[in-house]
Amino acid sequence: MTDQQVAHFTEVFNRNRATLALFSNCSTKDELDVVRDAFFLGMASQLCPNEYEAMRESLITDDTAFDAIASSINTDKGLETTVTAARASPHWLDLVTAVHAVSSAVGSDLDGIWNTLEKGRMEWLGAVTSAHPLKVILKEALNKDKNKTERDEVDMKMVYIYALSLSIESLANESEAWRKVVKMKNKANPLQDYNADFWDPRKEEWRPLDLGVQEAAERGGSSFQAAWDA
């Protein structure tokens, strides 16, 4: 593989970054799979012209596939419909194989790149879902408190950050350390025997937990604030 070919691959990859970035909008594994395969389609269209053209022609000549794609243009289902039709093409496997062959030839691990994105997104979605009931309680308490202060909101956000951390495997040690600092008896219920005086963000055990959750949010294509505001 020449330097020119490597440069071309890199250019094509960069052109398709916008498709990869759609992972941050996904709420399910199926939606993530659609984004992954849309990325493969985009890469193939510029790296594997023969396989891509064979697949494209099969869609054009398949009335059902063609009508489905045409009717979904400029709709929320457009990308999913196109990917679904492409997967059903007899040339889909050849196209995906060709993309991986080009990727391997230039030393790029497309599956590894995608798996990192998918894992990060699924982990964050799991954390947000698990901590949602507690977030509702926290925000309702804040909304009902007419005398709340900025510190009160900080306190509630700290509890939410801790709750999120419980679903992030890499933060098991950090969440346990913080549980001990605040003398929490039941790690699954941080509001039980809650004492605001113990929840001091200046304590050294807090920073790694806080940063760890922020980083998990970034891996999931989101942010802590977005999760809190949702």
Side-chain angles (χ1 to χ4, degrees):
M1 190 65 68
T2 66
D3 290 344
Q4 185 177 4
Q5 290 171 315
V6 172
H8 177 58
F9 177 89
T10 302
E11 180 182 357
V12 171
F13 183 91
N14 288 334
R15 288 176 186 168
N16 285 276
R17 281 184 181 276
T19 300
L20 274 184
L22 293 175
F23 92 104
S24 64
N25 298 330
C26 296
S27 300
T28 66
K29 176 66 165 60
D30 286 344
E31 291 178 0
L32 283 164
D33 288 347
V34 168
V35 171
R36 177 201 62 204
D37 291 346
F39 172 69
F40 289 156
L41 276 174
M43 294 291 285
S45 69
Q46 300 166 72
L47 293 175
C48 313
N50 294 335
E51 289 80 6
Y52 181 80
E53 185 59 24
M55 188 276 302
R56 190 182 72 84
E57 288 184 3
S58 72
L59 299 185
I60 293 175
T61 56
D62 183 327
D63 290 341
T64 300
F66 182 83
D67 290 345
I69 293 172
S71 63
S72 69
I73 293 175
N74 296 326
T75 71
D76 292 340
K77 291 292 186 179
L79 186 65
E80 180 182 354
T81 301
T82 299
V83 168
T84 299
R87 289 170 177 165
S89 166
H91 302 286
W92 173 248
L93 182 58
D94 290 340
L95 181 145
V96 174
T97 300
V99 170
H100 281 86
V102 175
S103 170
S104 297
V106 299
S108 177
D109 181 6
L110 291 184
D111 284 340
I113 293 170
W114 175 254
N115 288 339
T116 297
L117 295 177
E118 180 180 284
K119 180 181 178 181
R121 184 62 180 169
M122 293 302 294
E123 178 182 58
W124 183 244
L125 288 173
V128 169
T129 299
S130 179
H132 181 73
L134 178 60
K135 185 186 76 169
V136 171
I137 293 172
L138 297 172
K139 297 187 80 169
E140 285 181 349
L142 282 174
N143 291 334
K144 291 179 181 178
D145 186 356
K146 297 180 180 180
N147 299 313
K148 63 178 177 291
T149 65
E150 289 186 9
R151 176 55 199 263
D152 291 328
E153 184 168 354
V154 169
D155 288 345
M156 295 300 97
K157 284 183 175 180
M158 288 181 69
V159 175
Y160 183 48
I161 287 173
Y162 168 79
L164 288 167
S165 75
L166 293 177
S167 298
I168 301 169
E169 185 177 357
S170 61
L171 294 178
N173 292 336
E174 287 79 359
S175 63
E176 176 61 15
W178 186 251
R179 183 191 69 79
K180 293 178 179 178
V181 167
V182 299
K183 306 184 187 306
M184 191 188 310
K185 295 179 181 179
N186 181 357
K187 71 175 185 178
N189 187 2
L191 295 182
Q192 183 180 343
D193 300 322
Y194 174 81
N195 186 329
D197 291 336
F198 294 152
W199 290 71
D200 185 345
R202 294 170 297 182
K203 291 181 178 179
E204 63 178 355
E205 292 87 354
W206 177 250
R207 182 173 172 79
L209 184 68
D210 184 13
L211 290 178
V213 170
Q214 302 280 359
E215 290 169 357
E218 291 179 4
R219 291 194 301 270
S222 187
S223 68
F224 166 77
Q225 191 61 45
W228 175 256
D229 292 340

